[in-house]
């Protein structure tokens, strides 16, 4: 049986002894382990044996010996300590050895069992050496004591020592009283008395205090009166009070009694051995300040005192004191002062008390207020220039951080910069005006924060001022959905660079929503929303920008929910009921808002019933025919929605036809009733079509009553998925954030392309909806990137797939402009396309391909793109010369379609059709200068017809679009057709049986005739005016001759000015380019006016002749005749010309697209010239016949004198020759208008009109006998008198030239001629590019 476990306890004592002889001493008899059993001292199992050998030297030396004692009963410890304390030292080792004494014995280390462990701790004044703390487990590990420090407790006794050692030495400042009289020599450190006192006292102190552990020295530092007080210092370790009392007794025993030392007067003077530290060094108001006292005197009894207040400091909300003994090594006390103030400044003392010892330390703290210097008020102009706000602290310290804050109606952030060397912080902000409200004050606060929590702030009030003073509509704006609103923003300055509007989210409102006007003393911008939606709720910013300065005003908009008229789905659209029957009417919306709904039939209002089906809310009325006064009758039924703002909207009318019951043959519970032949429409979602799970079906279906059944006449229904996409697109284009929504919408549309292909394959309505979606989205003013363009073309590829072409055929039977609408949408997307990459971007699909290039600065590169499909190919080229006209960062985009030719409307009038690729090329930004593009198409012409290059003109066929050949010409080269056009539109090649070749021999011949004839005409007219000036007095001696030559001069002058304006028009437009539209309008006006003047002066000449011969007895003065002649010759042409330009130019249809002449295709303005000219020709021919008849058969009494008869005869000759020429010339002109006219008419028309100036000189001037005589008399040329020409002068006609040259085109265009006599051909100019497509192709 095992014996019970014994609990052992051990302790170590230290023995200090001295020896003055040399000896070899076996200390085993005095240094031995002891085991104490109960009440006896016996040895059983020593924990450790220690043997020490001491060798003495002639001088006395001190030795320290550790003795380990173990015992089982812990109560033995205190008696042992008491016994050791009762010993009187020194103790002689034995009586025979006078040289060895034991000076002191102290308990240093005590080991006690704790649980299953033995903890060894040091006694007061002792501690474990550092190496033991590092290599052994300390008791304080559970308290996370830092490694490497001295410790006071170990787990287990180290087997090889050393044990607890004395702590470091401290200096004890002591005071003791001598009951003797004080002498002044004791103040003098060099006096004999002073030295005597000092020597005797230090000897006694040394002998007495040498028993203290760690004693090093003792020194008398001075004397003071009061009897005699001795001040001295002891350098030792901290002793226990008992040991200190023993040392004091030893001092009394060793001091001569004559000094009369008072034992009770020993006291310790408060010492500054305590380390006093203050954190931080510089204290600011608001800091958290920590005062720390640290002493190696181990005592938790530490107190704090505020000297100026004479008060002890206790724990409170602002003061926190905690003291502790750290590792039995150091006594530490902390005083923490929170949020320190000026009142807390002053001297603080920290006092440590240990029995009779007091250790005190004092320090003064100063509390400094935080002073910050800054400009407290500033004015900042919102011009986007940086502004610096500065804050500096008065004292230069290392601040923890400096923060800036702002408070105000607007938020204009900035960046802070801190200079640590100067303790300053700058806050740099830029007031760019987009958030700057003029006159608004924002408080910026700089806050200096110290590392210990003090905070000092300074406010800077910044008033922001705009460059311009902006005022905005003052009244609050509150509208309902569907209503319009406008905001007017007015500036008092007109010199701005830009005006725009922003939402509160920073989204820029697009230009189409607002207009801006500039005035001499200001400007205004008006934001107008025609159809508001809930997305327009919010704050809007009106911003005027001048350089980097912004002026801003804001306005809040409130939009109340209210369904739009088109969002109210009504059923039925129209219906018929018998005079005694009833019918259900339904109005549905896609939201459940709190609306007040009423139905109205005639002037009677009815409350409906509400029915909720998912998200759809319907209001239903059962209408009976007896609700109205008589039958039969047509009634319009409406439903009214009224919102909380008391605004209302009315639905589209539901047409109700009350008919007698005997006429009804078709009946259906959903469609309704009707008489034979009745046609009604219903929304597809309310029809008897199968319902779709994907949402409401869109579109309209049309029924017709045939016999006794309703038959579907036309189905325009849109499938549910496509209808949902269409509704989202309609909402998107009304949204102010459409630029953010468009990319995600296109991405979703592209992802659902397979569903789109399935839906549009058999539904013309769904196909039309997809085209409408693309058309709506193309109006969003946003840059289209490559990803968005890929999504767009993926949808275009689906709807142009060959299996879908049969659906296209059904769609175009219902509405013919869908294909033109699709082409227009793709061109708008191409115009908005932008890519950061300058390389060629290629997107290829089965039914559409796109190439694009961005023009960068540097030498231009030619643009050439090739498109190859399975059965068609083509290429587009733009040479370097044309590329030089493009600005850097311009984009060129070409899109080719192989199947679009099938769905674009053919030219039925001319039996033409497209039979090639359709390629559209666009340039961004849009160019106004001349631009030529070349294309090559695959020639698919199998009928041998001549190909013609054409473009798609959106303005033709009542704006449904058609092929147009203006500005293009082609050349066939084997299986290729080369086309060159002077504008960027949608090109193709047209196969036409009647297409003149611009390079033919006929055209060259007509050009030569035109140029030569015009030169002769101008020279002849100038010569005619010179001749008339020379012979004027000789040939104007009577009134008839006078008026005749007045007419001849004005005819020549008018025709000369008209020819000059033709030259001007030729320079304005050359090689199909319209260089200046305004100049072209002016040239057209003056050509029209002066050609009419030629004809009206001819009419004046004829009427004058008729008057002189028919009204012989009636005489009118010369002045009246001149007034009538000039009024008729210039007044009438002026009135006709002004009315023509005033009626057509505002609509920009005054001139032609391919010539500077009166329009024919759009307004028939050419008739304002043709009709007066032809009427005058007929009138003059009639007058000529009457006058000739009158001269040949004069009446009785009609006897004009010989001179007047000669003049009248000459007039008759002139009119008789000139008028037929005029009629004949314009007769040929009319002949060339008709398609297929013979080349003889073209040659005759050009020849007669080109030389009409020569005819006037010869037959209207030089053929006159009086003119010849006057010239002979003037220049004395007798030969002229015998040469009288008998022929009459030829009539004047307007010069019209061959169309291949610019000048010849001017004359032929008088009768609608363009190109090679294709009268109806139009040429697109830069002024009409907005109404033309960029698609070109071939027609068959």
């Amino acid at each position: 049986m095992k014996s019970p476990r014994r609990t052992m306890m051990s302790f170590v004592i230290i023995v200090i002894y001295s020896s003055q002889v040399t000896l070899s001493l076996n200390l085993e008899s005095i240094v031995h382990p002891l085991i104490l059993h109960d009440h006896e001292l016996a040895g059983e199992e020593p924990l450790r044996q220690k043997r020490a050998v001491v060798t003495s030297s002639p001088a006395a030396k001190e030795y320290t010996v550790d003795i380990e004692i173990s015992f089982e009963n812990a109560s033995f410890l205190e008696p042992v300590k008491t016994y050791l304390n009762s010993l009187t030292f020194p103790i002689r080792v034995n009586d025979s050895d006078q040289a060895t004494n034991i000076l002191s014995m102290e308990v240093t280390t005590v080991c006690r069992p704790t649980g299953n462990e033995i903890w060894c701790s040091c006694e007061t004044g002792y501690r474990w050496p550092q190496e033991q703390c590092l290599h052994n487990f300390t008791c304080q590990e559970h308290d996370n004591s830092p490694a490497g420090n001295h410790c006071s407790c170990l787990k287990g006794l180290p087997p090889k020592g050393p044990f607890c050692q004395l702590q470091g030495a401290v200096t004890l400042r002591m005071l003791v009283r001598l009951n003797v009289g004080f002498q002044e020599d004791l103040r003098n450190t060099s006096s004999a008395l002073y030295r005597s006192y000092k020597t005797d006292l230090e000897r006694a102190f040394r002998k007495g205090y040498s028993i203290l552990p760690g004693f090093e020295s003792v020194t008398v530092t001075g004397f003071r009166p009061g009897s005699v007080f001795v001040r001295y210092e002891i350098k030792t370790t901290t002793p226990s009070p008992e040991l200190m009392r023993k040392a004091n007794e030893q001092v009394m025993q060793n001091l001569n009694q004559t000094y009369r030392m008072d034992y009770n007067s020993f006291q310790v003077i408060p010492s500054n051995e305590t380390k006093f530290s203050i954190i931080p060094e510089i204290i600011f108001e608001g800091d958290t300040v920590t005062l720390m006292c640290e002493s190696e005197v181990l005592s938790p009894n530490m107190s704090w005192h505020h000297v100026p207040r004479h008060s002890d400091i206790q724990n409170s909300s602002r003061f926190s004191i905690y003291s502790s003994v750290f590792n039995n090594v150091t006594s530490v006390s902390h005083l923490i002062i929170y949020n320190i103030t000026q009142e807390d400044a002053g001297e603080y003392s920290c006092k440590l008390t240990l029995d009779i010892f007091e250790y005190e330390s004092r320090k003064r703290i100063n509390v400094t207020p935080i002073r910050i210097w800054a400009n407290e008020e500033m004015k900042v102009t919102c011009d986007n220039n940086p502004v610096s706000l500065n804050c500096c602290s008065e004292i230069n310290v290392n601040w923890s951080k400096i923060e800036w804050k702002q408070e105000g109606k607007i938020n204009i952030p900035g960046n802070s910069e801190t200079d640590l060397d100067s303790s300053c912080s700058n806050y740099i902000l830029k007031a760019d005006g987009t958030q700057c409200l003029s006159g608004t004050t924002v408080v910026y606060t700089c806050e200096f924060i110290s590392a210990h929590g003090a905070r000092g702030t300074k406010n800077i009030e910044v008033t922001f001022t705009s460059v311009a003073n902006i005022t905005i509509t003052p009244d609050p704006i509150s509208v309902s959905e569907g209503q319009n609103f406008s905001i007017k923003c007015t500036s008092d300055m007109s010199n701005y660079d830009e005006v725009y509007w922003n939402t509160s989210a920073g989204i820029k409102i697009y230009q189409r929503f607002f207009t801006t006007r500039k005035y001499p003393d200001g400007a205004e911008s008006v934001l107008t929303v025609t159809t508001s939606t809930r997305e327009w709720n919010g704050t809007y910013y009106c911003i005027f920008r001048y350089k980097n300065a912004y002026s801003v005003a804001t306005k809040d908009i409130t939009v109340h929910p209210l369904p739009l008229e088109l969002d109210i789905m009504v059923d039925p659209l129209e219906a018929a009921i018998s005079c005694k029957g009833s019918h259900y009417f339904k109005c549905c919306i896609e939201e459940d808002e709190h609306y007040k709904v009423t139905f109205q039939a005639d002037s009677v209002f009815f409350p409906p019933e509400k029915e909720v089906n998912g998200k759809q809310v319907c209001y239903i009325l059962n209408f009976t025919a007896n609700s109205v006064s008589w039958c039969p009758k047509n009634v319009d039924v409406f439903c009214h929605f009224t919102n909380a703002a008391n605004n209302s909207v009315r639905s589209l009318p539901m047409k109700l036809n009350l008919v007698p019951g005997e006429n009804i043959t078709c009946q259906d519970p959903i469609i309704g009733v009707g008489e034979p032949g009745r046609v009604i429409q219903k929304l597809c979602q309310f029809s008897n079509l199968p319902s779709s799970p994907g949402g409401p079906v869109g579109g309209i279906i049309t029924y017709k009553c045939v016999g006794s059944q309703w038959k579907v006449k036309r189905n325009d229904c849109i499938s549910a998925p496509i209808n949902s996409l269409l509704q989202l697109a309609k909402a998107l284009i009304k949204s102010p954030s459409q630029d953010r929504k468009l990319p995600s919408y296109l991405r979703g549309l592209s992802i659902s392309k397979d569903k789109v292909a399935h839906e549009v394959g058999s539904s013309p309505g769904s196909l039309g909806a997809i085209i409408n979606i693309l058309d709506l989205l193309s109006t969003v003013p946003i840059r289209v990137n490559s990803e968005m363009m890929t999504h767009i073309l993926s949808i275009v590829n689906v709807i142009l797939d060959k299996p879908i072409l049969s659906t296209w055929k059904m769609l175009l039977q219902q509405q013919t402009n869908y294909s033109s609408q699709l082409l227009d949408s793709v061109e708008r997307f191409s115009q908005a396309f932008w890519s950061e990459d300058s390389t060629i971007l290629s997107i290829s699909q089965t039914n559409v391909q796109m190439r694009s290039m961005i023009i960068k600065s540097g030498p231009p590169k030619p643009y050439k793109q090739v498109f190859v499909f399975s059965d068609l190919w083509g290429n587009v080229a733009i040479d370097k010369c044309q590329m030089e006209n493009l600005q850097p960062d311009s984009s060129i985009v070409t899109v080719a379609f192989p199947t679009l030719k099938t769905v674009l409307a053919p030219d039925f009038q001319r039996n033409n059709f497209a039979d090639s690729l359709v390629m559209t090329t666009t340039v961004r930004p849009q160019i106004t200068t001349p631009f030529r593009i070349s294309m090559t198409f695959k020639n698919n012409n199998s009928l041998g017809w001549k190909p013609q290059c054409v473009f798609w003109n959106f303005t033709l066929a009542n704006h449904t679009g058609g092929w147009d050949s203006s500005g293009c010409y082609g050349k066939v080269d084997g299986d290729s057709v080369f086309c060159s056009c002077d504008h960027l539109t949608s090109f193709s090649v047209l196969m036409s049986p009647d297409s003149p070749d611009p390079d033919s021999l006929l055209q060259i011949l007509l050009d030569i005739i035109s140029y030569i004839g015009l030169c002769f005409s101008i020279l002849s007219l100038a010569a005619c005016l010179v001749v008339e000036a020379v012979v004027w007095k000789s040939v104007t001696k009577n009134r008839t001759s006078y008026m005749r030559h007045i007419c001849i001069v004005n005819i020549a002058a008018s025709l000369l000015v008209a020819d000059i304006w033709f030259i001007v028009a030729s320079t304005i437009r050359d090689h199909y380019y319209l260089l200046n539209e305004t100049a072209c309008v002016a040239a057209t006006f003056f050509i029209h006016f002066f050609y009419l003047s030629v004809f009206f002066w001819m009419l004046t000449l004829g009427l004058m002749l008729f008057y002189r011969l028919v009204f012989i007895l009636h005489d009118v003065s010369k002045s009246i005749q001149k007034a009538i002649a000039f009024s008729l010759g210039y007044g009438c042409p002026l009135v006709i010309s002004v009315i023509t330009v005033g009626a057509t130019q505002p609509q920009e249809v005054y001139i032609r697209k391919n010539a500077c002449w009166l329009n024919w295709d759009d307004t028939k303005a050419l008739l304002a010239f043709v009709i007066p000219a032809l009427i005058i020709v007929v009138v003059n021919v009639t007058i000529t016949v009457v006058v000739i008849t009158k001269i040949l058969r004069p009446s009785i009494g009609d006897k004009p004198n010989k001179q007047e008869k000669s003049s009248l005869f000459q007039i008759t000759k002139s009119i008789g020759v000139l008028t037929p020429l005029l009629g004949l010339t314009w007769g040929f002109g009319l002949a060339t208008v008709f398609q297929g006219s013979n080349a003889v008419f073209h040659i005759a028309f050009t020849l007669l009109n080109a030389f009409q100036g020569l005819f006037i000189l010869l037959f209207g001037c030089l053929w006159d006998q009086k003119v010849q005589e006057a010239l002979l008399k003037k220049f004395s040329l007798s030969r002229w008198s015998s040469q009288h020409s008998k022929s009459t002068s030829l009539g004047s006609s307007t010069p019209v030239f061959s169309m291949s040259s610019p000048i010849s085109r001017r004359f032929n265009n008088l009768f609608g001629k363009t190109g090679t006599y294709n009268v109806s051909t139009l040429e697109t100019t830069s002024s009409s590019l907005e109404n033309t497509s960029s698609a070109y192709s071939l027609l068959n």
Side-chain angles (χ1 to χ4, degrees), residues 769-786:
I770 292 295
I771 297 171
N772 286 331
I773 288 173
L774 293 175
D775 182 58
L776 289 171
L777 299 182
S778 66
T779 61
V780 177
I782 183 178
R783 280 188 173 183
V784 176
N785 56 33
S786 57

Side-chain angles (χ1 to χ4, degrees), residues 398-530:
N398 188 13
W399 296 98
S400 172
K401 57 182 175 179
I402 302 175
E403 294 181 347
W404 287 83
K405 302 175 183 178
Q406 60 173 304
E407 183 178 354
K409 293 183 179 179
I410 60 177
N411 179 30
I412 302 180
N415 298 315
S416 61
E417 297 178 354
T418 301
D419 185 359
L420 297 177
D421 295 334
S422 61
S423 292
C424 290
S425 179
N426 299 328
Y427 193 71
I428 300 173
L429 55 88
K430 285 186 178 181
D432 63 0
T434 56
Q435 300 164 325
C436 178
L437 302 178
S438 185
T440 302
T441 298
V442 178
V443 178
Y444 288 85
T445 302
C446 60
E447 185 174 34
F448 286 67
I449 304 174
S450 73
H452 300 275
R455 294 174 181 264
T457 61
K458 191 71 172 181
N459 292 336
I460 304 175
E461 293 186 356
V462 179
T463 301
F464 292 95
T465 58
S466 300
V467 176
N469 185 25
I470 303 297
T471 57
I472 202 163
T473 304
D475 299 330
I477 296 180
S478 177
V479 296
S480 296
E481 283 189 279
Q483 295 180 335
N484 62 348
F485 68 85
S486 63
I487 312 173
K488 180 185 288 187
C489 181
T490 305
S491 169
D492 60 357
M493 297 179 64
S494 60
N495 57 331
Y496 58 84
D497 294 331
E498 183 185 12
V499 178
Y500 59 96
W501 293 74
N502 271 5
T503 66
S504 56
I507 301 172
K508 183 175 286 189
I509 305 297
Y510 293 104
Q511 179 69 38
R512 63 177 180 175
F513 287 110
F514 62 90
T515 58
T516 303
R517 294 183 177 89
K518 184 180 292 187
Y519 304 106
D521 57 347
E524 70 175 17
S525 182
V526 180
L527 173 67
T528 303
V529 178
T530 56

Side-chain angles (χ1 to χ4, degrees), residues 1020-1040:
S1020 299
L1021 292 170
C1024 179
L1025 294 175
V1026 172
V1027 169
E1028 287 290 337
V1030 171
V1031 302
W1032 183 259
K1033 290 185 179 180
S1034 301
V1035 298
T1036 57
K1037 294 182 179 179
N1038 60 62
R1039 258 182 256 174
T1040 302

Side-chain angles (χ1 to χ4, degrees), residues 647-660:
N647 293 318
S648 62
V649 62
R650 190 176 74 173
S651 69
L652 293 172
M654 295 169 277
K655 299 184 180 299
L656 178 62
N657 184 20
L658 302 178
V659 296

